[in-house]
Amino acid sequence: MEAEPRIQPLSSTESLCPVCLRRLQAIREQQGDTVYLMKHCGEHGPARTPIWRGPISFSSWLRPKKPSSPRQAQTEIRDGCPFDCGLCPGHGQHTCTALLEITGRCNLRCPVCFADAGESDADPSLAQIGGWYDRVMAASGPCNIQLSGGEPTVRPDLARIVRLGRDKGFDFIQLNTNGLLLAERPQLADELRQAGLASVFLQFDGLTAATHLALRGRDLRADKELAIRRCVEAGLAVVLVPTLVPGINTAEIGAIIEYGLGFAPTVRGVHFQPISYFGRYPQAPADADRLTLPEVLMLIETQTGGAVRAEHFAPPACEHALCSFHGNFLIDGQGRLAPLGQPPACCSTGEDRACLPTALEGREKSVRYTARQWSLPLAEPACGCGGEPGAPKDDFDRFLARARTHTFSLSAMAFQDVWNIDLERLRGCCIHVVSPAGRLVPFCAYNLTSNLGRPLHRRAGPA
């Protein structure tokens, strides 16, 4: 008889009860190649959720950072994390990306939706959105902005909203969109670029009709490609954003990467998002419904035939190490990906506390990298060598010129739901949603719902 895998407690944290949202003590516990988040509510019983699964070492992935409080806290600590979000003085990271939900309306009715978008009340006014920009600037200073919803392109004044953000001092503004109106309206992409939009964060779940029907309710393949081609014509950068659902589109990861490379350098990369379970789920999603970061890494390695390997990726510099991964690559002359750089060795385990980076340092690095990589690169100099016109080109000159324009990023973000929420991770969050009342709320806390669909922060009233 095969022995049961040894159970090894790894570390402690805090979480929430999936039913009543009460704050609970929790532990991370390893059994075989799987790490579980374990918690127990005295009223509603235990919950166990896989948070790390596969051959990549959990402990070697962790990257401690010294926390850094918001520049200007906007709520007080009263009930504790995650109930005082706004941001409160106890939050450990500044804003890297602020999401402004400029409409609740949407022109799709997707079975999968973070925002539960559809019909809604009146859109926020331009004056209210201007106030949101001001709140973000006061709380964290210049950062990256993502205009979201709902579907932001349904607003006829979208270009004015982009221009307002640029006027307020935000240099990188990105549009989170399903792309349908970019495809339908030939001039929209150019209008947005002229207003100052830098990048399109394009919902892109796969290359088969079955995937689109399962996740979006319609076959959108032609619309997605036309939206990308509109951005090529307008000079707008694109990031492909697949929501990964086990058994639906996880076999398409390699094909999505290859498809994106076919539209480089307009397509700057692929940003995978394993599904999180918001909304009404009376029973916890089964372990097989989960997709963890190491599993995504191994699927990338397998489906690229080993050309892209797990060792080419690193934990994030900004958010908590268990939230994401990223890798930056050069597209060579044959359209293949070659890794650029290796993760730094210093403090990989946190043993030398003196050299730990601060959360603020990680945030600044992430803001710069995202704005640079997810924007369209500057045109190559006329000589093609990165130097003065007429200067001779050698192999290094050619490498520098190509590295300036032909980089490609692969990344993933593992959002949390009520079963796997880890308050240590949440306090290190750098992606913040601006609530209608002007609060800055970590993305996972803002979208969190109990197992019966009761929200923690979304649609909550003013302070």
Side-chain angles (χ1 to χ4, degrees), residues 227-307:
I228 295 170
R229 293 189 183 279
R230 301 286 195 213
C231 292
V232 172
E233 295 164 1
L236 265 180
V238 176
V239 178
L240 303 183
V241 188
T243 297
L244 294 178
V245 183
I248 300 295
N249 61 346
T250 47
E252 298 181 57
I253 287 174
I256 292 170
I257 295 171
E258 193 68 25
Y259 182 90
L261 286 169
F263 285 95
T266 292
V267 171
R268 307 297 297 142
V270 182
H271 184 69
F272 297 103
Q273 295 181 345
I275 188 170
S276 295
Y277 293 94
F278 304 116
R280 294 179 182 273
Y281 290 90
Q283 301 299 321
D287 288 358
D289 297 327
R290 295 286 179 184
L291 188 66
T292 66
L293 291 180
E295 290 173 295
V296 178
L297 285 170
M298 298 314 298
L299 286 169
I300 290 173
E301 181 169 314
T302 300
Q303 293 181 29
T304 60

Side-chain angles (χ1 to χ4, degrees), residues 169-255:
F170 297 98
D171 292 333
F172 179 84
I173 298 180
Q174 184 176 62
L175 174 67
N176 186 353
T177 179
N178 59 34
L180 299 188
L181 291 182
L182 287 175
E184 181 181 318
R185 300 176 184 170
Q187 302 306 317
L188 181 57
D190 190 59
E191 290 172 5
L192 295 174
R193 182 194 59 79
Q194 292 188 42
L197 188 71
S199 180
V200 171
F201 204 61
L202 181 65
Q203 175 199 91
F204 194 93
D205 297 313
L207 300 170
T208 65
T211 287
H212 286 271
L213 290 169
L215 298 185
R216 306 302 164 192
R218 288 168 51 186
D219 184 356
L220 301 174
R221 289 175 295 174
D223 303 87
K224 301 294 183 178
E225 180 157 323
L226 184 53
I228 295 170
R229 293 189 183 279
R230 301 286 195 213
C231 292
V232 172
E233 295 164 1
L236 265 180
V238 176
V239 178
L240 303 183
V241 188
T243 297
L244 294 178
V245 183
I248 300 295
N249 61 346
T250 47
E252 298 181 57
I253 287 174

Side-chain angles (χ1 to χ4, degrees), residues 98-101 132-133 135-136 432-441 446:
L99 272 73
L100 277 61
E101 295 190 343
W132 293 347
Y133 281 128
R135 291 294 292 268
V136 173
H432 303 146
V433 181
V434 184
S435 76
R439 294 174 173 174
L440 272 68
V441 182
Y446 191 71

Side-chain angles (χ1 to χ4, degrees), residues 390-445:
K393 290 191 289 185
D394 58 21
D395 288 343
F396 186 62
D397 289 330
R398 293 187 183 93
F399 171 81
L400 290 178
R402 191 164 189 87
R404 184 177 293 110
T405 59
H406 285 72
T407 54
F408 197 84
S409 67
L410 296 174
S411 54
M413 176 69 70
F415 295 116
Q416 302 175 89
D417 53 45
V418 75
W419 288 278
N420 63 13
I421 188 163
D422 180 332
L423 299 191
E424 179 186 300
R425 283 179 59 183
L426 195 68
R427 283 189 285 269
C429 178
C430 63
I431 302 174
H432 303 146
V433 181
V434 184
S435 76
R439 294 174 173 174
L440 272 68
V441 182
F443 182 92
C444 292

Side-chain angles (χ1 to χ4, degrees), residues 65-68 92-94 357-365:
K65 290 187 285 287
K66 297 175 184 176
S68 180
Q93 182 55 288
H94 299 251
T358 67
L360 181 58
E361 290 169 341
R363 180 261 192 188
E364 296 301 313
K365 179 179 179 181

